Amino acid sequence: MAQLKYYHYDFSAMGSPCSIQLYASHEKMGKRAAKLVMDDVYRLEAKYSRYRTDSFLSDINRIAAQGGHIRVDDETAGLLDYADTCYQQSDGLFDITSGILRRAWNFKSGNIPDPKIIQSFLNKIGWQKIDWQRPVLRFSAADMEIDFGGVVKEYAVDRAAALCWDAEIHHGLINLGGDIRVIGPHQDGSPWRVAIRHPRNPEGVLQTLLLHSGALASSGDYERCITLNGTRYGHVLNPKTGWPVHFMAAVSVLGEFCVVAGSASTIGMLKGEDGAVWLNTLGLPHLWVNVHGESGGSLME
C-alpha cells in the first residue's frame, strides 16, 4: 500500500466551523478533494439558506406566503420526501414548517416571547396542511414557510463523504459544525476518536467514541438558549406547543448516514420524556442526557 499523507482543511459554512481531515497520496489530490467538498457545501448553503433572498428556499417561501404552488428539482424533492418521512415517524414533531417560530424566539434578546405571539405562529405550522405531490409543492394556506435547517447540513455531510470517496479518498473524516461522517479509518486502520461534549460543561466530555465508519450527529439545548429564573429555554422548539423542549438536554445518535443520525437526535429531543424509549425502539446506537443530569442510551453502557 502506498504511503498516504494526512491533510487538514478548515473552513466556515452554514453558520458553523467546519473541517475536512483526509489522507491522500499527494497535496494536489488532497486539495482537489477538499475543494470539491467546500464547493458543494457552499452550493447547498446558497440554495437552501433562509438568510439569502436569492436562495431557492426563499423562492419557495415567497410562494408559500401567497398560498401558491411551486415545482421543485430532484434534489429538493428528495429532501422533502425525507422530511415527510420524519414527520410521519415522529408523530408530527419533526416538522419543517415550524422554522417560522424563530420569528417569535430571539435567543439573542434574552427575553421570552409573549404567549399570544407564539400562538399566532402556531396557526401557520403543520406539514399536514401542505400538499406534496412530487415534484409540485402546494401550500393550501397562506403565510406558511418551510425551513430545511434540520436536514441540509447533515445531507451536506453525507454528500461530502461520497464526493471524497469518488475522488479516491478512502480515509478521512468530515465535520460540519459537529455533524460528522467518517469516510474511512486512519490509513493504519485505527479508528477516529470523536468526543461528545457535555451539555452543561463546555470542557466536559460525556463519551469518546472510536469510529471506523458511519456518522454521528447531536442535538442539544446548549447551542442557543435563554436562561431566566434558573430555567433554560433552548432552540429546539416543539411545533405543537411553540415552546422549547424542556426534558432532554442533549441527544447523540450514531448511524450509517448523517442525515438519519441528525433527524433521530432531533426527534429524540422533541419526544421529551418519551425520548429514551423512542430512541431504544429506533435501534441505533445513542446516548442522552436530561435536564436533571441523568443519562442513558446504548453508547453509555
Side-chain angles (χ1 to χ4, degrees):
M1 180 194 275
Q3 188 58 38
L4 303 177
K5 293 180 181 174
Y6 169 83
Y7 298 99
H8 188 138
Y9 307 91
D10 291 318
F11 65 109
S12 291
M14 300 183 175
S16 306
C18 305
S19 70
I20 306 163
Q21 299 178 68
L22 54 81
Y23 287 86
S25 54
H26 50 80
E27 187 177 10
K28 192 174 178 182
M29 182 183 183
K31 278 188 172 175
R32 188 177 81 237
K35 185 178 187 306
L36 282 171
V37 167
M38 291 183 207
D39 286 351
D40 195 58
V41 173
Y42 294 142
R43 177 189 71 81
L44 290 168
E45 182 173 31
K47 185 174 181 179
Y48 297 115
S49 171
R50 63 175 185 253
Y51 302 108
R52 295 178 58 144
T53 56
D54 62 345
S55 72
F56 183 53
L57 179 65
S58 291
D59 290 344
I60 291 173
N61 285 334
R62 279 189 283 272
I63 297 294
Q66 303 161 14
H69 65 275
I70 185 170
R71 192 179 191 89
V72 304
D73 62 286
D74 283 348
E75 183 171 53
T76 306
L79 293 175
L80 289 168
D81 283 344
Y82 187 72
D84 179 60
T85 299
C86 290
Y87 178 81
Q88 308 301 336
Q89 293 186 350
S90 66
D91 297 319
L93 287 170
F94 191 102
D95 189 332
I96 61 170
T97 68
S98 66
I100 201 166
L101 284 168
R102 71 178 175 279
R103 294 194 204 168
W105 288 90
N106 178 357
F107 290 95
K108 292 178 181 173
S109 72
N111 297 318
I112 303 297
D114 185 316
K116 289 178 185 171
I117 293 174
I118 294 174
Q119 185 58 47
S120 71
F121 285 116
L122 282 181
N123 300 329
K124 299 170 183 177
I125 294 171
W127 176 248
Q128 78 281 0
K129 297 177 185 177
I130 294 175
D131 180 26
W132 166 231
Q133 300 285 338
R134 189 191 253 257
V136 177
L137 188 63
R138 195 177 301 275
F139 296 87
S140 58
D143 295 329
M144 290 182 73
E145 65 177 63
I146 65 170
D147 183 347
F148 285 123
V151 182
V152 164
K153 186 152 64 76
E154 295 84 351
Y155 168 69
V157 172
D158 287 327
R159 277 191 55 86
L163 286 167
C164 284
W165 192 266
D166 290 346
E168 302 300 317
I169 303 294
H170 296 160
H171 304 275
L173 181 143
I174 305 289
N175 183 344
L176 303 187
D179 291 321
I180 290 165
R181 175 79 184 266
V182 175
I183 303 162
H186 289 282
Q187 191 198 8
D188 63 4
S190 63
W192 296 90
R193 294 176 63 85
V194 179
I196 298 176
R197 64 175 282 192
H198 195 287
R200 294 294 180 266
N201 176 8
E203 306 302 315
V205 173
L206 266 178
Q207 188 71 278
T208 300
L209 305 179
L210 303 177
L211 302 180
H212 290 89
S213 62
L216 173 73
S218 302
S219 186
D221 67 3
Y222 47 83
E223 291 165 24
R224 297 187 301 281
C225 63
I226 299 167
T227 304
L228 274 182
N229 303 324
T231 301
R232 180 188 293 257
Y233 299 88
H235 77 286
V236 181
L237 303 171
N238 184 318
K240 298 183 179 183
T241 66
W243 288 82
V245 297
H246 52 77
F247 183 76
M248 287 294 189
V251 175
S252 294
V253 177
L254 267 178
E256 185 181 352
F257 297 103
C258 195
V259 71
V260 173
S263 54
S265 64
T266 301
I267 295 168
M269 289 286 294
L270 289 164
K271 285 281 184 180
E273 293 179 16
D274 298 325
V277 171
W278 184 83
L279 287 161
N280 270 335
T281 58
L282 195 64
L284 292 174
H286 65 277
L287 65 81
W288 54 265
V289 180
N290 66 24
V291 295
H292 308 298
E294 299 162 337
S295 60
S298 52
L299 290 172
M300 296 294 282
E301 294 164 5

